[in-house]
Amino acid sequence: METITKNNIFNSQKLRQDFPILSKKANGKPLVYLDSGATAQKPKQVIDAISNYYQSQNANIHRGVHQLSQEITIAYENARATIQKHLNAAVSHEIIFTSGTTESINLVANSFGKKYINASDEIIISEMEHHSNIVPWQVLCEEKGAVLKVIPINENGELRIDEYKKLLCSKTRIVAVTHVSNTLGTINPVKEIIALAHEKSIPVLIDGAQAVPHMKVDIQALDADFYCFSGHKVFGPTGVGILYGKEKWLNKIPPYKVGGGIIKTVTFEKTEYADLPLKFEAGTPHIGGGIGLAAAIDYVNEIGLENIGAYEHELLEYATLKLLAIEGLRIIGTAKEKASVISFVIEEVHPLDVGTILDKQGIAVRTGHHCTQPLMEHFGLPGTIRVSLVFYNTKEEIDVLVNGIQKAIKMLR
Amino acid sequence: MRIAEIENELIEEFELFGDDWEGKYEHLIDLGKHLPLIDKQHKTDDRLIKGCQSRVWLHSELYDEKVVFTADSDAIITKGIVAILIRVFSGQTPEEIMQADLIFIDDIGLKEHLSPTRANGLVSMIKQIKMYAIALNLSQNS
Ligand SMILES: Cc1ncc(COP(=O)(O)O)c(C=O)c1O
């Protein structure tokens, strides 16, 4: 399919050729991969970068005097700089490599929590958070006797900013909300959320796991204090992710894991920690992961996030229309601002059954609660079927999906 | 009929469909529609099997030293899978159930449902059936 975007013609058929797995069959049918929200597929540019690292660049970083070690140290730090530029962070040592969004959030909950959370303090999250942005705060609250406050949502799946304003108070120590909901697709007004907290000098963590794959994120414009995302959802490898933290916060909070590589001096009496970013990167990191993630970011920038956004929006509108034409189908999450994620339920059929019959037709979707059980409870649903669309998906695939759903309904009812 | 015989019967029944996944799943759905339903009063949380994306209730009772299972689920394919298990296990003694192997599931082409992480939790169902058998066996012998 071709779409005219600002700068060029968007040719998703051509881009698909960069993704070897997309020509695979599933259950004997051409694979229709509509589960990129769970994990995105990888272009050969990323696969090559990782393979090249293991074939010709492998050495440990920040340690050796030898040439290989120095070269890979430079490459790894270049990868960090690529991510810094991509997010428009002020300096590269504000970019911390982690294993993913989950670890990034755990890092902040632990390190920030250790220093700044006390009994009866309050932490604000929202009703639409992924379990990864609920449980670390819940555990912290239990440990410290602090209180978790939850921003409710309206019937469209949008955050109630009026309620949020009421929750912000002198007891609030941190706000942690998602940029884009993995279940509903809602794009939250994070800039406003951050500004409101900052009026009261409260820092904000943004879970960007579902935002970074779809849109340009300008950390300085948002003024986020912490921002997290996962490599594997932005067409990069699993096992690597990013925590962005404002320098002033990263300097104030203690390391979350300790060991080799983060130390200036160790005596048995006292250890002095290394400067940023190494302070938070104890142990040998996922070097190939960092290299692969940078390759993924380069790849996305080559296509251009604006072009991607425009095309995905078109896919979203097309899919929404086509799905709504199916009798008994109801979309959960009808926010005005949405990323290309669609959750839905169908009368008289269970999401799991639909997912199973779609799978038999080579169509990969996600079913269940999507690690957002409190959100499912809000809608009174055991789960939904979720379709997540990215630039390598096509309108033809949406047609295949719609036919597949119709077949499933016929078989299941 | 003994467990092995019923298993063979099921294998033959599903073999008829060959590569026709639609036929196979339609049959499974049909079996689900005829599942021996659990009595409403037994449809309680303690009979809910954990580890399934769909909810599955399973109940067992001893009649004449044989275990009789009834069940329900909110998903129809899951119901079909439970129905297969019940066809194999209902009316057998606790010992026979405890000792049964379940390779037939592989043979009838539902192997994908056997993966321990599979959302509909066939593995959890089998575990629960065996647990009931062990418990009934103990109560019988005590
Ligand atoms: C919004 C959101 N937050 C956090 C996560 C957790 O990401 P990861 O499993 O890569 O740590 C996900 C992944 O599904 C997500 O969608």
Side-chain angles (χ1 to χ4, degrees):
Chain A
M1 177 178 119
E2 294 195 344
T3 303
I4 311 287
T5 58
K6 242 187 208 154
N7 308 322
N8 60 345
I9 289 175
F10 199 92
N11 189 339
S12 67
Q13 284 302 349
K14 183 151 167 282
L15 292 172
R16 285 176 73 81
Q17 288 164 15
D18 292 335
F19 293 79
I21 208 170
L22 294 181
S23 52
K24 215 179 124 84
K25 294 212 157 153
N27 279 318
K29 314 278 174 353
L31 170 67
V32 175
Y33 189 75
L34 305 176
D35 196 22
S36 300
T39 196
Q41 298 304 347
K42 325 301 175 198
K44 59 179 187 293
Q45 288 82 342
V46 168
I47 299 166
D48 287 350
I50 296 166
S51 150
N52 182 52
Y53 158 70
Y54 285 112
Q55 290 204 30
S56 59
Q57 293 178 292
N58 179 53
N60 211 332
I61 54 165
H62 299 136
R63 310 199 171 176
V65 290
H66 56 82
Q67 190 191 358
L68 266 183
S69 170
Q70 284 170 12
E71 280 174 5
I72 192 59
T73 301
I74 290 167
Y76 194 65
E77 289 311 313
N78 282 343
R80 194 190 305 276
T82 298
I83 291 146
Q84 174 216 341
K85 267 191 234 122
H86 186 67
L87 296 177
N88 189 31
V91 285
S92 70
H93 58 252
E94 291 181 323
I95 303 295
I96 310 295
F97 281 112
T98 65
S99 68
T101 307
T102 302
E103 194 191 22
S104 298
I105 297 170
N106 272 277
L107 191 163
V108 178
N110 273 273
S111 297
F112 182 91
K114 209 177 264 176
K115 186 142 179 198
Y116 290 106
I117 303 295
N118 295 302
S120 74
D121 283 349
E122 295 180 2
I123 295 168
I124 298 179
I125 61 169
S126 92
E127 205 177 356
M128 66 169 82
E129 297 312 311
H130 187 280
H131 293 169
S132 289
N133 200 27
I134 301 175
V135 186
W137 304 111
Q138 215 164 34
V139 169
L140 174 62
C141 284
E142 269 166 31
E143 272 173 21
K144 299 277 194 157
V147 185
L148 200 62
K149 295 282 176 179
V150 182
I151 312 168
I153 57 170
N154 66 20
E155 69 279 13
N156 295 325
E158 294 164 315
L159 288 182
R160 296 272 309 270
I161 300 298
D162 54 331
E163 293 294 330
Y164 168 56
K165 286 180 188 162
K166 288 184 213 157
L167 291 177
L168 281 169
C169 70
S170 61
K171 286 185 178 171
T172 313
R173 291 292 163 266
I174 191 165
V175 176
V177 293
T178 193
H179 197 161
V180 171
S181 160
N182 64 307
T183 303
L184 306 171
T186 312
I187 303 173
N188 288 320
V190 288
K191 194 170 175 178
E192 185 188 352
I193 289 168
I194 293 166
L196 285 165
H198 284 178
E199 279 173 18
K200 297 193 158 71
S201 306
I202 301 161
V204 181
L205 174 143
I206 301 293
D207 173 354
Q210 297 291 342
V212 176
H214 299 290
M215 62 184 76
K216 182 84 196 138
V217 172
D218 183 331
I219 290 281
Q220 293 189 78
L222 290 180
D223 204 21
D225 300 279
F226 299 102
Y227 196 99
C228 314
F229 72 93
S230 298
H232 69 99
K233 294 190 202 275
V234 284
F235 317 99
T238 54
V240 67
I242 295 297
L243 169 66
Y244 159 85
K246 266 189 194 157
E247 184 172 6
K248 74 165 186 196
W249 286 114
L250 293 180
N251 277 329
K252 280 182 195 165
I253 64 177
Y256 147 70
K257 51 181 183 181
V258 289
I262 70 161
I263 300 306
K264 254 186 196 151
T265 58
V266 181
T267 63
F268 284 111
E269 287 73 39
K270 186 163 172 57
T271 292
E272 201 184 332
Y273 297 119
D275 294 331
L276 293 174
L278 300 187
K279 175 181 166 186
F280 291 101
E281 294 179 354
T284 298
H286 185 7
I287 303 168
I291 301 291
L293 175 53
I297 297 293
D298 283 341
Y299 178 79
V300 165
N301 283 327
E302 187 94 358
I303 308 170
L305 270 169
E306 250 181 57
N307 298 330
I308 288 174
Y311 175 75
E312 288 179 352
H313 191 73
E314 200 178 311
L315 282 184
L316 172 68
E317 293 199 324
Y318 183 80
T320 303
L321 256 162
K322 287 275 171 168
L323 287 170
L324 284 176
I326 297 174
E327 210 194 300
L329 186 146
R330 182 159 62 95
I331 290 181
I332 308 299
T334 47
K336 270 187 220 90
E337 298 291 329
K338 257 184 90 163
S340 43
V341 173
I342 309 176
S343 256
F344 58 90
V345 289
I346 303 168
E347 266 168 36
E348 290 172 59
V349 291
H350 195 281
L352 179 61
D353 286 333
V354 178
T356 304
I357 299 295
L358 289 177
D359 173 52
K360 285 280 152 199
Q361 302 173 73
I363 306 164
V365 298
R366 179 95 185 258
T367 65
H369 54 63
H370 319 296
C371 294
T372 53
Q373 279 178 359
L375 183 62
M376 289 295 109
E377 211 154 288
H378 173 98
F379 285 103
L381 297 168
T384 69
I385 303 153
R386 184 190 71 183
V387 166
S388 43
L389 303 160
V390 296
F391 61 80
Y392 51 62
N393 293 122
T394 63
K395 287 188 182 172
E396 290 77 12
E397 285 182 310
I398 294 166
D399 294 339
V400 172
L401 167 72
V402 169
N403 287 335
I405 293 172
Q406 253 139 6
K407 178 176 223 137
I409 293 173
K410 213 165 85 199
M411 286 178 71
L412 293 166
R413 272 205 188 133
Chain B
M1 250 195 291
R2 315 202 34 155
I3 288 181
E5 287 166 357
I6 304 171
E7 288 183 355
N8 281 331
E9 193 184 81
L10 277 161
I11 292 168
E12 280 169 23
E13 200 171 304
F14 274 87
E15 254 171 10
L16 292 176
F17 298 107
D19 287 338
D20 169 22
W21 71 267
E22 267 185 81
K24 193 182 279 176
Y25 273 79
E26 268 161 6
H27 185 53
L28 198 55
I29 290 163
D30 200 47
L31 291 174
K33 287 178 180 159
H34 296 97
L35 173 73
L37 276 186
I38 189 168
D39 198 282
K40 241 201 189 122
Q41 59 162 340
H42 296 314
K43 227 171 148 177
T44 49
D45 279 358
D46 58 331
R47 291 189 182 80
L48 210 51
I49 298 178
K50 295 197 175 64
C52 308
Q53 226 185 71
S54 49
R55 294 194 293 171
V56 182
W57 294 266
L58 186 68
H59 177 61
S60 68
E61 270 174 72
L62 212 51
Y63 286 109
D64 257 352
E65 296 174 11
K66 305 271 169 67
V67 190
V68 173
F69 290 100
T70 52
D72 199 2
S73 172
D74 49 0
I76 187 70
I77 294 172
T78 313
K79 256 174 139 171
I81 290 167
V82 192
I84 288 178
L85 294 179
I86 288 188
R87 191 156 130 199
V88 172
F89 291 116
S90 229
Q92 310 294 338
T93 64
E95 287 92 347
E96 282 167 327
I97 296 171
M98 282 157 59
Q99 285 154 12
D101 76 49
L102 290 148
I103 38 173
F104 81 102
I105 289 167
D106 201 344
D107 294 331
I108 61 180
L110 293 174
K111 185 179 167 191
E112 71 233 47
H113 295 282
L114 257 185
S115 132
T117 54
R118 183 83 189 182
N120 55 28
L122 178 54
V123 172
S124 316
M125 291 182 218
I126 294 170
K127 214 190 254 167
Q128 194 57 47
I129 285 174
K130 295 229 171 195
M131 296 286 275
Y132 277 138
I134 291 167
L136 290 169
N137 190 43
L138 279 174
S139 69
Q140 235 177 357
N141 297 336
S142 65

PDB file of all heavy atoms in Angstrom, chain A residues 37-38 100-103 105 130 132 178 180 182 207 209-210 230 232-233, ligand 1:
ATOM      1  N   GLY A  37       2.581  -4.737  19.609  1.00  0.00           N
ATOM      2  CA  GLY A  37       2.521  -4.123  20.928  1.00  0.00           C
ATOM      3  C   GLY A  37       3.145  -5.017  21.979  1.00  0.00           C
ATOM      4  O   GLY A  37       3.678  -4.546  22.986  1.00  0.00           O
ATOM      5  N   ALA A  38       3.093  -6.320  21.765  1.00  0.00           N
ATOM      6  CA  ALA A  38       3.739  -7.255  22.688  1.00  0.00           C
ATOM      7  C   ALA A  38       5.235  -7.256  22.423  1.00  0.00           C
ATOM      8  O   ALA A  38       6.042  -7.072  23.332  1.00  0.00           O
ATOM      9  CB  ALA A  38       3.166  -8.659  22.526  1.00  0.00           C
ATOM     10  N   GLY A 100      15.044  -3.339  30.207  1.00  0.00           N
ATOM     11  CA  GLY A 100      13.733  -3.072  29.609  1.00  0.00           C
ATOM     12  C   GLY A 100      12.941  -2.112  30.481  1.00  0.00           C
ATOM     13  O   GLY A 100      13.418  -1.662  31.525  1.00  0.00           O
ATOM     14  N   THR A 101      11.734  -1.824  30.037  1.00  0.00           N
ATOM     15  CA  THR A 101      10.871  -0.896  30.776  1.00  0.00           C
ATOM     16  C   THR A 101      10.684  -1.350  32.224  1.00  0.00           C
ATOM     17  O   THR A 101      10.765  -0.553  33.154  1.00  0.00           O
ATOM     18  CB  THR A 101       9.482  -0.830  30.095  1.00  0.00           C
ATOM     19  OG1 THR A 101       9.676  -0.532  28.722  1.00  0.00           O
ATOM     20  CG2 THR A 101       8.598   0.221  30.737  1.00  0.00           C
ATOM     21  N   THR A 102      10.428  -2.641  32.381  1.00  0.00           N
ATOM     22  CA  THR A 102      10.165  -3.170  33.717  1.00  0.00           C
ATOM     23  C   THR A 102      11.335  -2.880  34.646  1.00  0.00           C
ATOM     24  O   THR A 102      11.150  -2.416  35.777  1.00  0.00           O
ATOM     25  CB  THR A 102       9.899  -4.685  33.647  1.00  0.00           C
ATOM     26  OG1 THR A 102       8.786  -4.894  32.768  1.00  0.00           O
ATOM     27  CG2 THR A 102       9.580  -5.269  35.011  1.00  0.00           C
ATOM     28  N   GLU A 103      12.545  -3.137  34.169  1.00  0.00           N
ATOM     29  CA  GLU A 103      13.697  -2.870  35.032  1.00  0.00           C
ATOM     30  C   GLU A 103      13.882  -1.372  35.267  1.00  0.00           C
ATOM     31  O   GLU A 103      14.234  -0.946  36.371  1.00  0.00           O
ATOM     32  CB  GLU A 103      14.993  -3.475  34.478  1.00  0.00           C
ATOM     33  CG  GLU A 103      16.061  -3.479  35.571  1.00  0.00           C
ATOM     34  CD  GLU A 103      17.465  -3.807  35.110  1.00  0.00           C
ATOM     35  OE1 GLU A 103      17.784  -3.656  33.919  1.00  0.00           O
ATOM     36  OE2 GLU A 103      18.264  -4.193  35.978  1.00  0.00           O
ATOM     37  N   ILE A 105      11.615   0.913  35.509  1.00  0.00           N
ATOM     38  CA  ILE A 105      10.667   1.369  36.534  1.00  0.00           C
ATOM     39  C   ILE A 105      11.083   0.845  37.906  1.00  0.00           C
ATOM     40  O   ILE A 105      11.054   1.568  38.902  1.00  0.00           O
ATOM     41  CB  ILE A 105       9.225   0.944  36.178  1.00  0.00           C
ATOM     42  CG1 ILE A 105       8.788   1.599  34.866  1.00  0.00           C
ATOM     43  CG2 ILE A 105       8.260   1.321  37.313  1.00  0.00           C
ATOM     44  CD1 ILE A 105       7.486   1.074  34.287  1.00  0.00           C
ATOM     45  N   HIS A 130       0.160  -0.520  32.988  1.00  0.00           N
ATOM     46  CA  HIS A 130       0.627  -1.902  32.845  1.00  0.00           C
ATOM     47  C   HIS A 130       1.085  -2.366  34.237  1.00  0.00           C
ATOM     48  O   HIS A 130       1.557  -1.553  35.032  1.00  0.00           O
ATOM     49  CB  HIS A 130       1.811  -1.874  31.871  1.00  0.00           C
ATOM     50  CG  HIS A 130       2.334  -3.216  31.468  1.00  0.00           C
ATOM     51  ND1 HIS A 130       3.179  -3.955  32.249  1.00  0.00           N
ATOM     52  CD2 HIS A 130       2.131  -3.938  30.347  1.00  0.00           C
ATOM     53  CE1 HIS A 130       3.488  -5.088  31.622  1.00  0.00           C
ATOM     54  NE2 HIS A 130       2.865  -5.103  30.467  1.00  0.00           N
ATOM     55  N   SER A 132       3.647  -3.556  35.157  1.00  0.00           N
ATOM     56  CA  SER A 132       5.032  -3.115  35.398  1.00  0.00           C
ATOM     57  C   SER A 132       5.105  -1.724  36.001  1.00  0.00           C
ATOM     58  O   SER A 132       6.120  -1.362  36.601  1.00  0.00           O
ATOM     59  CB  SER A 132       5.818  -3.091  34.086  1.00  0.00           C
ATOM     60  OG  SER A 132       6.065  -4.392  33.656  1.00  0.00           O
ATOM     61  N   THR A 178       1.615   6.190  32.220  1.00  0.00           N
ATOM     62  CA  THR A 178       2.017   5.713  30.909  1.00  0.00           C
ATOM     63  C   THR A 178       1.778   6.792  29.854  1.00  0.00           C
ATOM     64  O   THR A 178       0.831   7.579  29.961  1.00  0.00           O
ATOM     65  CB  THR A 178       1.280   4.409  30.555  1.00  0.00           C
ATOM     66  OG1 THR A 178       1.919   3.820  29.427  1.00  0.00           O
ATOM     67  CG2 THR A 178      -0.188   4.637  30.228  1.00  0.00           C
ATOM     68  N   VAL A 180       1.431   6.011  26.476  1.00  0.00           N
ATOM     69  CA  VAL A 180       0.397   5.405  25.629  1.00  0.00           C
ATOM     70  C   VAL A 180      -0.055   4.112  26.295  1.00  0.00           C
ATOM     71  O   VAL A 180       0.773   3.314  26.716  1.00  0.00           O
ATOM     72  CB  VAL A 180       0.947   5.105  24.213  1.00  0.00           C
ATOM     73  CG1 VAL A 180      -0.055   4.288  23.401  1.00  0.00           C
ATOM     74  CG2 VAL A 180       1.310   6.389  23.474  1.00  0.00           C
ATOM     75  N   ASN A 182      -1.103   0.426  26.589  1.00  0.00           N
ATOM     76  CA  ASN A 182      -0.888  -0.762  25.766  1.00  0.00           C
ATOM     77  C   ASN A 182      -2.189  -1.487  25.463  1.00  0.00           C
ATOM     78  O   ASN A 182      -2.268  -2.264  24.525  1.00  0.00           O
ATOM     79  CB  ASN A 182       0.100  -1.710  26.451  1.00  0.00           C
ATOM     80  CG  ASN A 182      -0.425  -2.255  27.756  1.00  0.00           C
ATOM     81  OD1 ASN A 182      -0.838  -1.500  28.625  1.00  0.00           O
ATOM     82  ND2 ASN A 182      -0.435  -3.561  27.903  1.00  0.00           N
ATOM     83  N   ASP A 207       6.079   6.025  31.540  1.00  0.00           N
ATOM     84  CA  ASP A 207       6.290   4.718  30.920  1.00  0.00           C
ATOM     85  C   ASP A 207       6.047   4.882  29.424  1.00  0.00           C
ATOM     86  O   ASP A 207       4.913   4.993  28.973  1.00  0.00           O
ATOM     87  CB  ASP A 207       5.305   3.713  31.544  1.00  0.00           C
ATOM     88  CG  ASP A 207       5.322   2.357  30.837  1.00  0.00           C
ATOM     89  OD1 ASP A 207       5.998   2.224  29.797  1.00  0.00           O
ATOM     90  OD2 ASP A 207       4.640   1.430  31.332  1.00  0.00           O
ATOM     91  N   ALA A 209       6.874   2.747  26.998  1.00  0.00           N
ATOM     92  CA  ALA A 209       7.025   1.485  26.264  1.00  0.00           C
ATOM     93  C   ALA A 209       6.226   1.459  24.964  1.00  0.00           C
ATOM     94  O   ALA A 209       6.691   0.958  23.942  1.00  0.00           O
ATOM     95  CB  ALA A 209       6.627   0.308  27.159  1.00  0.00           C
ATOM     96  N   GLN A 210       5.003   2.022  25.002  1.00  0.00           N
ATOM     97  CA  GLN A 210       4.147   1.963  23.814  1.00  0.00           C
ATOM     98  C   GLN A 210       4.173   3.273  23.021  1.00  0.00           C
ATOM     99  O   GLN A 210       3.477   3.389  22.012  1.00  0.00           O
ATOM    100  CB  GLN A 210       2.702   1.640  24.218  1.00  0.00           C
ATOM    101  CG  GLN A 210       2.523   0.279  24.877  1.00  0.00           C
ATOM    102  CD  GLN A 210       2.731  -0.883  23.906  1.00  0.00           C
ATOM    103  OE1 GLN A 210       2.695  -0.722  22.690  1.00  0.00           O
ATOM    104  NE2 GLN A 210       2.956  -2.068  24.450  1.00  0.00           N
ATOM    105  N   SER A 230      11.354   0.029  26.200  1.00  0.00           N
ATOM    106  CA  SER A 230      11.994  -1.269  25.941  1.00  0.00           C
ATOM    107  C   SER A 230      12.505  -1.339  24.508  1.00  0.00           C
ATOM    108  O   SER A 230      11.808  -0.909  23.583  1.00  0.00           O
ATOM    109  CB  SER A 230      10.979  -2.408  26.117  1.00  0.00           C
ATOM    110  OG  SER A 230      10.504  -2.456  27.433  1.00  0.00           O
ATOM    111  N   HIS A 232      12.814  -4.011  22.639  1.00  0.00           N
ATOM    112  CA  HIS A 232      12.146  -4.990  21.775  1.00  0.00           C
ATOM    113  C   HIS A 232      10.834  -4.480  21.176  1.00  0.00           C
ATOM    114  O   HIS A 232      10.339  -5.048  20.222  1.00  0.00           O
ATOM    115  CB  HIS A 232      11.913  -6.299  22.538  1.00  0.00           C
ATOM    116  CG  HIS A 232      10.895  -6.215  23.627  1.00  0.00           C
ATOM    117  ND1 HIS A 232       9.603  -6.646  23.445  1.00  0.00           N
ATOM    118  CD2 HIS A 232      10.965  -5.754  24.893  1.00  0.00           C
ATOM    119  CE1 HIS A 232       8.940  -6.457  24.571  1.00  0.00           C
ATOM    120  NE2 HIS A 232       9.738  -5.919  25.471  1.00  0.00           N
ATOM    121  N   LYS A 233      10.297  -3.426  21.738  1.00  0.00           N
ATOM    122  CA  LYS A 233       9.052  -2.883  21.169  1.00  0.00           C
ATOM    123  C   LYS A 233       9.329  -1.827  20.098  1.00  0.00           C
ATOM    124  O   LYS A 233       8.412  -1.387  19.412  1.00  0.00           O
ATOM    125  CB  LYS A 233       8.173  -2.297  22.278  1.00  0.00           C
ATOM    126  CG  LYS A 233       7.655  -3.376  23.255  1.00  0.00           C
ATOM    127  CD  LYS A 233       6.619  -2.808  24.184  1.00  0.00           C
ATOM    128  CE  LYS A 233       6.471  -3.622  25.447  1.00  0.00           C
ATOM    129  NZ  LYS A 233       5.549  -4.762  25.308  1.00  0.00           N
TER     130      LYS A 233
HETATM  131  C1  LIG C   1       2.842   0.201  28.714  1.00  0.00           C
HETATM  132  C2  LIG C   1       3.838  -0.876  29.038  1.00  0.00           C
HETATM  133  N1  LIG C   1       4.632  -0.743  30.105  1.00  0.00           N
HETATM  134  C3  LIG C   1       5.544  -1.671  30.432  1.00  0.00           C
HETATM  135  C4  LIG C   1       5.696  -2.815  29.689  1.00  0.00           C
HETATM  136  C5  LIG C   1       6.721  -3.817  30.108  1.00  0.00           C
HETATM  137  O1  LIG C   1       7.735  -3.882  29.169  1.00  0.00           O
HETATM  138  P1  LIG C   1       8.882  -4.975  29.262  1.00  0.00           P
HETATM  139  O2  LIG C   1       8.198  -6.292  29.420  1.00  0.00           O
HETATM  140  O3  LIG C   1       9.604  -4.858  27.971  1.00  0.00           O
HETATM  141  O4  LIG C   1       9.718  -4.632  30.437  1.00  0.00           O
HETATM  142  C6  LIG C   1       4.880  -3.016  28.582  1.00  0.00           C
HETATM  143  C7  LIG C   1       4.989  -4.262  27.803  1.00  0.00           C
HETATM  144  O5  LIG C   1       4.029  -4.891  27.443  1.00  0.00           O
HETATM  145  C8  LIG C   1       3.931  -2.021  28.244  1.00  0.00           C
HETATM  146  O6  LIG C   1       3.132  -2.177  27.190  1.00  0.00           O
END
